[in-house]
Amino acid sequence: MSATAAPFGLRPVYHPSGNTREVEYSIDAAYTTSIFKGDPVLLNTNGTITRSAAGNTLHGVFMGCEYLDSTGKPNYSNFWPGTASCTEIKAWVITDAETVFEIQGVSALTQAAIGDECDISTYAAGSTSTGLSIVSAATGSLAGAGASAQLRIVGVAPYPDNAITDTYPILRVTINESANRAATNAV
């Protein structure tokens, strides 16, 4: 039973083609906000990525980065630390809206939620120990038929002790409000 709130962000599970692909982007060296593995991200007009929030059209999901720190030492990390003295920053992002992700919901649902949509929950910083996001799905307020939201619920993760009616179910979702394709309404 998923009775404990232990969000882990958006974790890629599969792509219909069999391949999940990360695309290289940059983070502006002056961007001092941390981005964690599994955080949804936006694409700025300057071609760099930033962390996203509920309600925004998403560009993709951050998977990690590499950069040179202020001493010139290369770093490979699950998260962008938001340190302004870094250079040669490369960020890895899954941008394909057909990718299926797992994310923990903030409330129990019923089977009727499959095909419905929700936004990501209010953002909180992830773990600097693991580098993982703690974003979850705002399942307490589903879009409803004919409306649109950031994430489309396509299923429930098939794990022992995980059910859609659990307090904090682990769901399978796709990015619905994507900068890379037109959004569709919930069913």
Side-chain angles (χ1 to χ4, degrees):
M1 172 180 272
S2 299
T4 304
F8 45 82
L10 289 153
R11 178 172 56 204
V13 181
Y14 69 88
H15 185 277
S17 72
N19 296 310
T20 55
R21 293 188 178 103
E22 298 167 359
V23 179
E24 181 184 324
Y25 287 91
S26 184
I27 299 172
D28 191 318
Y31 187 67
T32 57
T33 303
S34 298
I35 308 173
F36 295 87
K37 184 175 185 175
D39 277 349
V41 294
L42 302 172
L43 183 63
N44 279 327
T45 55
N46 67 0
T48 64
I49 61 161
T50 60
R51 190 179 69 208
S52 184
N56 293 332
T57 297
L58 305 178
H59 186 68
V61 177
F62 182 81
M63 290 287 107
C65 62
E66 55 186 271
Y67 56 89
L68 298 180
D69 65 19
S70 60
T71 66
K73 176 184 165 209
N75 288 268
Y76 303 90
S77 179
N78 278 341
F79 75 102
W80 165 246
T83 306
S85 58
C86 298
T87 60
E88 298 186 33
I89 306 160
K90 295 178 185 177
W92 302 102
V93 179
I94 295 176
T95 60
D96 191 328
E98 297 301 319
T99 303
V100 176
F101 296 91
E102 289 180 347
I103 188 169
Q104 188 172 43
V106 297
S107 61
L109 297 169
T110 66
Q111 190 65 30
I114 305 298
D116 209 333
E117 298 170 6
C118 65
D119 281 341
I120 59 171
S121 63
T122 304
Y123 188 84
S127 167
T128 55
S129 298
T130 64
L132 297 180
S133 172
I134 59 169
V135 167
S136 54
T139 51
S141 47
L142 297 176
S148 180
Q150 290 173 310
L151 306 174
R152 175 174 283 241
I153 301 168
V154 297
V156 181
Y159 301 129
D161 299 327
N162 182 56
I164 200 162
T165 55
D166 289 346
T167 307
Y168 302 101
I170 298 173
L171 306 169
R172 290 204 167 161
V173 300
T174 56
I175 296 175
N176 181 57
E177 291 179 348
S178 169
N180 304 306
R181 74 161 184 205
T184 58
N185 289 336
V187 293

